[in-house]
Each structure stands twice: as structure tokens, then as C-alpha cells.
Amino acid sequence: MPRLTFDSAILDVGCGEGARLEKLAKLGFANLTGIDAFLPQAREGRRPLGITLIRGKLNSHDRKNDCITMHHSLEHAPDLKALLETARARLNPGGKIFVRLPLLQDEIWAKYGADWAQVDAPRHLYLFTPEAFVSLAGRAALKCIAHGTDTLGWSLAWSETCARDIPSNNLDGTANALPLTKQEISAFEEQAKALNARDKGDQGYFVLEPA
């Protein structure tokens, strides 16, 4: 199984303004591309650290890649199966797709229900259980070779504040500060670690390869 090297072609779908790619570049990766339909035009093109940013959608980008990443972007797409199929077609032999997205888990849903912060309507068009996402990947001719959860304390903290009817944004659209003490936030971080240890976190990762 080919492993990534610093010269491997890596494409980040839904890259924003390229912050994750910049972190990879600082680690030594030198063949980095990002694509985002909402990329500001001023950011498009060749960027510092050898990163190329493209304004557009994956189906308009025909270059082959060794790894395609989707960090919390897949759940915003209207046709997930088509996007996964397009990503599979853009892989070099031995290539992998790395997806991170919210996960609907029974324990957290039982506690928070519609107050769960990761619902994030209307921006999130789809929410998956881990099993449902693996099934979707299978329908796109992809198999899951690794997965886990990577919940952070902020998600649980905001779910708690939503349950207390405290909005995450103010009326003027600015972000609200978490109305919690340092001790409470620390407790949510510990809860997140415990959930991840049991693969019960409310966000996770999947490594996919062509079936």
C-alpha cells in the first residue's frame, strides 16, 4: 500500500482559504492544492508555501491525486454520492480519501436532541451515523479501511448552551462567547476524550479507498 510522501499530490476539497494546507506545507508537504466553490477570487492561484488554490467544484478539476481530503465539507454538498464518486475518479492508484464530518450518535442525541450543536441547520444538509456513512461510501464503490471519532469539547459545550436557550450568534451576526467557566469547559473536554475512546464522539474521520 503506497504511503504518503512529502511529494504526494494532496487535494483538499472545501479548503476555505487554505489554512489546513498551510499547516501541511509547514510540515514539509510540497504538492498541495485546495478547491472551494466560495474561495475569494483574491486568494485564487499560486500561494506562498507552494500551495495552489482553485475557485470551483471538484468535478471541474481533473488532476489525479494521491490523497483527497474533505474536512467538514461533505455534509454541505447536495449530492454526496456523486461527490464521493468524483473523488474516487480523481485518485491515483493506491490513493485514499480522508473524510471528517459530524456524526449522529445515540448518546449525544438522547441528551440534546435538536439542541445538538452539530445539527447546524440549514448549513448541514445531511447528518450520518457512522454505519450510514460507511454504507453511503459503499454505494460510491469505496470501502472504509479506518475510522474513529475526534470530538472536541466545544461541540458538547455549545450543545449545552443551546439547551439553555443561549444562541451561538448575537442578533447582529457576531459570534457569542461561550458563557461557561473554565472548569465547565475543561469538563466538556474530558467528556469528549471519553466519548472518543469509545468511538462515540459526535464528529469523526473515515479513510476510504476504491472497493
Side-chain angles (χ1 to χ4, degrees):
M1 179 187 303
R3 292 182 177 273
L4 289 180
T5 69
F6 287 131
D7 294 321
S8 295
I10 299 175
L11 173 67
D12 187 23
V13 178
C15 65
E17 297 194 21
R20 286 180 299 273
L21 293 171
E22 290 176 1
K23 292 179 180 179
L24 289 176
K26 290 176 181 178
L27 290 174
F29 291 94
N31 191 356
L32 301 170
T33 304
I35 190 165
D36 195 304
F38 303 101
L39 179 73
Q41 289 186 344
R43 294 284 293 171
E44 191 170 13
R46 189 75 169 174
R47 307 300 304 171
L49 302 176
I51 298 168
T52 299
L53 298 183
I54 300 169
R55 179 184 173 91
K57 298 182 179 180
L58 181 59
N59 58 13
S60 65
H61 178 71
D62 58 6
R63 180 184 172 188
K64 297 286 188 175
N65 303 275
D66 300 305
C67 181
I68 295 176
T69 63
M70 301 179 190
H71 295 272
H72 290 272
S73 58
L74 187 71
E75 64 271 20
H76 299 270
D79 191 337
L80 283 68
K81 179 173 175 286
L83 180 56
L84 288 173
E85 289 173 336
T86 301
R88 176 171 52 81
R90 300 296 188 274
L91 289 175
N92 284 321
K96 305 290 185 290
I97 301 170
F98 181 74
V99 177
R100 295 178 64 237
L101 75 171
L103 292 173
L104 185 60
Q105 301 270 34
D106 50 5
E107 291 182 33
I108 294 176
W109 183 257
K111 183 173 183 179
Y112 293 113
D115 291 319
W116 177 43
Q118 298 268 22
V119 170
D120 200 7
R123 298 189 326 120
H124 289 174
L125 302 181
Y126 298 93
L127 293 169
F128 289 92
T129 64
E131 297 79 11
F133 181 74
V134 171
S135 176
L136 170 70
R139 295 198 299 276
L142 292 162
K143 63 180 179 180
C144 179
I145 60 172
H147 66 88
T149 67
D150 57 0
T151 289
L152 299 173
W154 70 263
S155 177
L156 303 177
W158 271 120
S159 297
E160 182 63 34
T161 56
C162 285
R164 300 180 191 177
D165 290 327
I166 300 171
S168 58
N169 289 305
N170 299 308
L171 292 177
D172 62 1
T174 58
N176 203 353
L178 266 174
L180 300 172
T181 66
K182 290 183 178 180
Q183 290 77 12
E184 286 176 312
I185 293 174
S186 178
F188 282 120
E189 293 290 352
E190 291 304 313
Q191 289 179 36
K193 290 178 183 178
L195 287 166
N196 290 334
R198 296 187 290 114
D199 277 345
K200 287 294 184 179
D202 68 349
Q203 64 180 37
Y205 63 87
F206 299 83
V207 182
L208 309 174
E209 68 178 14

